[in-house]
Amino acid sequence: MNQEKYIGMDVHQATISVAVMDSSGKLIMECILETKAATILEFIAGLRGTLSVTFEEGTSAAWLHDLLKPHRQPSCSLRSAKKRPIEGWQQE
């Protein structure tokens, strides 16, 4: 079974709206997280499989990238909403 998951994040000052889809495009989870480091890291750590995270380039993009980069798994990639790989995250 393919464990690939696609995570979209709409980041705001106080909250992040998150949608998780499986490899067939089926929505498997939606939630709202606090825009706090511990909450975001706990959420990502709870997901299994190959993860692709996408979020918009905005005022929180650099902070979120810096937060997630040290905690990523080898099977995790990170992209901006403009579908450009973020340096250091795109898996070859």
Side-chain angles (χ1 to χ4, degrees), residues 9-83:
M9 295 184 167
D10 187 13
V11 184
H12 301 278
Q13 185 175 3
T15 62
I16 300 174
S17 297
V18 180
V20 181
M21 298 174 80
D22 66 14
S23 60
S24 69
K26 179 181 175 187
L27 182 66
I28 57 174
M29 180 189 310
E30 283 184 296
C31 62
I32 298 175
L33 305 175
E34 291 179 292
T35 306
K36 292 185 177 179
T39 305
I40 296 163
L41 293 175
E42 182 179 342
F43 174 77
I44 293 294
L47 296 174
R48 299 291 176 247
T50 302
L51 308 178
S52 294
V53 181
T54 302
F55 53 85
E56 62 191 332
E57 291 184 31
T59 57
S60 298
W63 171 80
L64 189 54
H65 172 267
D66 291 345
L67 172 70
L68 294 174
K69 187 174 180 178
H71 299 279
R72 74 179 178 103
Q73 301 170 356
S75 62
C76 185
S77 64
L78 184 64
R79 296 172 91 61
S80 72
K82 294 182 181 180
K83 298 185 180 182

